[in-house]
Amino acid sequence: MRIGTLKESYVADAALFDSRTQHVWLAIAAAALLLFPFMANDYWLYMACLVAINIASSAGLNILTGYTGLVSLGQAAFMGLGAYTVAILQLRWGTPLALNLLAAGVVAMLGGLIVGVPSLRVKGLYLAIVTIAATFIAHFLFANFDFTGGTSGLSMRPARVFGTDLDTSFRLYWLIVPVTVLMLLGAANLFRTRIGRAFIAIRDRDISAEVLGIALLKYKLLSFGLSSFYAGVAGGLFAYFFRVITPESFPLSMSIFFLAAIIVGGMGSTLGSILGAAFMTMVPELLKLVFDLLPGGADLTVFLAPVRLVIFGALIIVFLVFEPLGLAEMWRRTRRFFHLWPFKN
Amino acid sequence: MNQQAMSPRRRGLMLGAAATGLAALTQPLAVLAQDASEIVIGGSIPMTGVFAFAGVGINDGIQDYVKIINDAGGIKGRKVKYVPEDTAYKVDVSVAAFKKITSQNKVNVYYGDSTGFAKTINPELERNGNILMAGASFASELNDPKKYPHQFLVGPDYTEMFGILLKHIAKEKPGAKVAFVYSDSEFGRDPIEKSEAAAKQLGLTVAIKIMTAAGSVDVSGEVIKLRRAAPDYTIFHGYILAPIPEFITQGKQQGMKSKWMGTFWTMDSSTVMKMGADGDGFMGVMPYRYYYDTEAAPMLEKIRAMRPEYQSTAYTQGMLAAMLFLESVKRCLDAGKPLTGDAMKAALNSLKDFDTGGLIGVPISIPGNSIPVGRVYKADMKAQKMVPASDWIKL
Amino acid sequence: MDMDWGYLFEVSLTSVMGGGLYALAGLAFVMVYKATRVVNLAIGEMLMAGSYLFFTFAAMWALPLWLAIPAAVLASGVLGAVIERTMIRPLLGEPPISAFMVTIGLGSVLVGLVEMIWSADQRRLPDFLPTQAITVGDAFLAPKIFWGAVIASVFITAVLLVFRYWRGGVALRATASDQAAAYAVGINVPRVFSLSWVVSAMLAAVSGIIVGSIGGISSSMGVFGLTVLVVVIVGGLDSVLGALVAGLLVGLVEGLAGAYLGGEYKLLATFIVLVFILMVRPYGLFGTREIERL
């Protein structure tokens, strides 16, 4: 908590961004996001779009896992649902982009609700395993239906907005980043409402929450639905971004990636989703840079993929054991340090 | 209160730091350190991950060929530069590599690592218009010059590989019963439908088609199915090694008399030799000559002089890719044409009875997107070598 | 439709025998869950680690089999102890979700290490099972499957006996049924935790060696663990009997789906069984129903 900010009303206290410093920072961040595409080259734009898509999906998973305490290993499958929805709508009916993205979210949400139904009977880890089952069932459906293009998947035309084809990373940036920012604002605001607070109550102790009058099934399903809605929209963006989707585009390891992202970033924190997804997306690229700098780097590249896997796993373990609140907490600590300096925090 | 006084300066400092960071981020990558006359081969190479066994060979093959050309003075005096990047056989990493390499170099030709990548990057290739691409994929889908105008396959596509095998079978044993065993993946399912029709045309019967689950270890149920269908020939596709040895071992234990066959990615000498004694007589289609082939081949001799130890067929594939790339570039330059994707592809298609220096045993022509040539080889476990079992077959 | 009974029998026989391996790996899983309440998602990767250790001893160092197998199993035991001590013990008292997610990380680390040390190439283990074909009536049974099942049942029996009569086994069962009470009667609970991970890793290594000698080894053989997960959930996470019955059942379902529907239906069928069981009996066939109190 920041000191030196006096609140005079509950509304002010509950505000999303509560201090002037924060407003300044937000303005800087917004300016940076606006200027970035004009300064960066194609590679960095590509990475920025990828990071934004991953942030959107991680934010969704964070609602379910970080805030409601239900582990899901099905995030990739829900993204797949969204991606296929977008592709099929565009290829069959040529419907506009905004509608497609919305439909992607809704279809994924329905999928999420179906998978969430067993939460009526089973809890916690059993549920995580149902989501693994969902991943494989979704893969089977994608691979064996005609209208999903079988194992070779679907190829799309670029999205067309106001007569422009969104076919370069530069143009896609203006679609993907604003949508992601909107979704993040939505997620952050969610936890100022009754629904969001109910989620947190369920996470902290579901039986107590029920005693408090929170309908468990309803809210758990809602959490599942919201989380998969996010995944679906992210999947839709994924489809517009890569324009080729196959059943193999959404493997179980991708779901694990998102779980790792929120663990590393910080569960139960929107900032955590951002930091985690950005960090984990950049890890392979950073590793490449490190390997290039090492002496004899060329011979070491053979180890790049396994090292990446080891680091992925190790990050999950290390953060869970030593810093369960993730990068977001480290960030907060650093901020506090500067804030209170020279006094001890 | 203290905070109010402090914060503007701190803010300024942090802003400065952030700006420097951002500048540092974009700076080194924006620099195009390149000699304008260089011919650049970019590459998304799977040097790590599940496809690493091939990626390493591919990388060496391209590198060696580039060296041969540069040592001979380049192409019309222009040096060739090879810029590879590891992809771990993942599509998004591979696309990132493409973006990185193309934003730092003026890439003329590109080697891609997978079917997924080839499909994903295709719109980008068309938009760019100045790149010719080939890769590690032999997917039948890519063998379509209309949909993939700036790409080609460095050999027959999977359906054509099956075609070559079936043609061989029809000659060796007319009316034979064949079985297809393939994996449940895009790779595995690729040639099956069309090949069934092709088999019928050649007067063969497809006794059974068995699709195995991806990554399944125990195939005894499938072996029983296969044995009951009693095929004369069994063609495996969509695997590298497992579960082929298990099929063969169990099949033989149960008294099957089938002959066993595979496609390109199974057919590297070192892979087949891992099958052990039961793999003796394993056959398959191979569009290239093996490293140790004894027939006259100047390129193979060059390779053996450069690298005294065995080089995989993936190495040959990479080398041939580089050879065809640079031959197309050379023909373009000779004709005084600009190096556009269209011009280079047209140059590639103009190859008629082109001599690959023996990498492929017959002169080749590339009328479309593939090189529909191959030969059936057979494993000789005693000599630990693959020996020819047929002539070169053209489709 | 005309039913081919001979085929049905042959396929069923093979699949049930194959299910024996699921049962053994399931047992390894249950061992850890019973004692420590940790859902070990890395069970498939631990299998893989065991088989690669065996590969190193038997194929690379060319040790004789009677030395290579125990060495691989012991080394896996050490690995189990290390995992427990460094990753699981610090999370004691944290919500079970944390330990669950740690095992996901563990899986990734193990795959990475295997690829780093042995590369991602597929490899074959030296053949050590008899190759004489086995026939039951008209039905063929692949010798590897048969002997694999025999070894699995020997180990399962041994484990059951040990847990019935050995002090350590009794301590483990006591800890499983009531941790606080176990402490009170002087059982060293943390040591029981270590013990359970060691035993589990060793059992996983044994099944890894058998699975590897049937289908070859690769860094992606952890997929086997997914089916094991289905097995233990269908059987009930904390039930040894459940793991055995469900192992055979899932093996059978998978085999029949593969035979009559096609390879792509194998995993689908097992997961449908899983979802069905969860809806009907959320705690599995033989699992203990947990009662929650505030």
Side-chain angles (χ1 to χ4, degrees), chain A residues 57-286:
Chain A
S57 189
S58 302
L61 185 64
N62 219 339
I63 295 177
L64 185 69
T65 305
Y67 287 103
T68 322
L70 301 169
V71 180
S72 164
L73 284 170
Q75 197 73 354
F78 297 130
M79 274 182 81
L81 275 181
Y84 270 101
T85 308
V86 163
I88 289 168
L89 282 177
Q90 196 219 46
L91 290 172
R92 299 241 156 168
W93 294 287
T95 42
L97 177 135
L99 182 79
N100 290 354
L101 276 183
L102 205 63
V106 171
V107 169
M109 183 160 85
L110 291 177
L113 291 180
I114 292 171
V115 174
V117 164
S119 61
L120 176 72
R121 300 276 317 235
V122 299
K123 314 193 8 175
L125 301 172
Y126 283 95
L127 206 57
I129 291 164
V130 175
T131 59
I132 298 182
T135 306
F136 284 94
I137 293 170
H139 181 276
F140 177 85
L141 297 178
F142 294 154
N144 288 291
F145 274 126
D146 270 344
F147 63 91
T148 54
T151 38
S152 55
L154 298 169
S155 307
M156 305 162 54
R157 276 169 285 111
R160 220 177 151 71
V161 181
F162 304 126
T164 341
D165 278 338
L166 298 183
D167 56 356
T168 61
S169 299
F170 178 82
R171 289 174 184 168
L172 280 160
Y173 181 92
W174 299 108
L175 165 70
I176 293 171
V177 172
V179 171
T180 302
V181 169
L182 263 183
M183 285 165 67
L184 282 173
L185 282 176
N189 269 308
L190 179 67
F191 298 96
R192 301 165 62 211
T193 65
R194 177 187 156 84
I195 298 173
R197 287 169 193 278
F199 289 170
I200 296 174
I202 292 173
R203 173 191 69 191
D204 291 343
R205 193 81 174 101
D206 56 352
I207 300 183
S208 317
E210 198 167 20
V211 173
L212 287 174
I214 293 167
L216 279 190
L217 179 65
K218 179 179 148 198
Y219 280 101
K220 280 184 179 175
L221 278 183
L222 196 62
S223 180
F224 248 106
L226 272 173
S227 150
S228 1
F229 180 87
Y230 271 67
V233 175
L237 294 174
F238 182 96
Y240 280 122
F241 187 52
F242 284 107
R243 275 186 275 147
V244 171
I245 45 173
T246 68
E248 285 156 43
S249 310
F250 307 99
L252 185 62
S253 60
M254 192 176 180
S255 297
I256 295 178
F257 170 87
F258 290 120
L259 196 63
I262 62 167
I263 290 171
V264 169
M267 282 187 282
S269 149
T270 307
L271 182 66
S273 313
I274 301 173
L275 293 178
F279 180 68
M280 294 305 271
T281 313
M282 296 310 294
V283 159
E285 303 298 315
L286 292 176

Side-chain angles (χ1 to χ4, degrees), chain C residues 141-203:
Chain C
L141 188 55
K144 278 181 181 174
I145 302 290
F146 174 76
W147 290 108
V150 168
I151 297 174
S153 36
V154 167
F155 270 90
I156 291 169
T157 323
V159 168
L160 292 183
L161 288 178
V162 160
F163 278 86
R164 191 98 197 102
Y165 298 109
W166 179 48
R167 269 185 77 84
V170 177
L172 197 146
R173 280 190 294 141
T175 312
S177 69
D178 192 332
Q179 233 178 72
Y183 260 118
V185 296
I187 290 172
N188 186 345
V189 173
R191 255 191 54 203
V192 169
F193 281 16
S194 292
L195 178 75
S196 71
W197 273 89
V198 170
V199 174
S200 168
M202 288 162 100
L203 285 177

Side-chain angles (χ1 to χ4, degrees), chain B residues 22 155 258-259 332:
Chain B
L22 197 71
S258 168
K259 288 188 177 173
C332 266

Side-chain angles (χ1 to χ4, degrees), chain A residues 24-25 41-44 46 143-144 151-152 167-169 242-244 248 288 301-302 304-305 308 338, chain B residues 10-11 14 25 29 48-49 85-86 88 92-93 95-96 99-100 103 119-120 123 127 141 185-186 189:
Chain A
V24 172
W25 273 113
N41 64 21
D42 206 32
Y43 166 70
W44 284 106
Y46 170 83
N144 288 291
T151 38
S152 55
D167 56 356
T168 61
S169 299
F242 284 107
R243 275 186 275 147
V244 171
E248 285 156 43
K288 257 185 211 165
T301 42
V302 184
L304 203 54
R308 195 176 318 167
F338 281 109
Chain B
R10 200 174 62 229
R11 213 177 286 157
M14 284 186 151
L25 199 76
L29 287 151
T48 61
E85 182 108 3
D86 174 46
D92 57 334
V93 184
V95 176
K99 299 265 181 182
K100 195 164 165 187
S103 61
K119 278 157 61 179
T120 307
R127 211 175 48 76
E141 196 184 342
S185 63
E186 181 176 12
R189 291 193 198 187

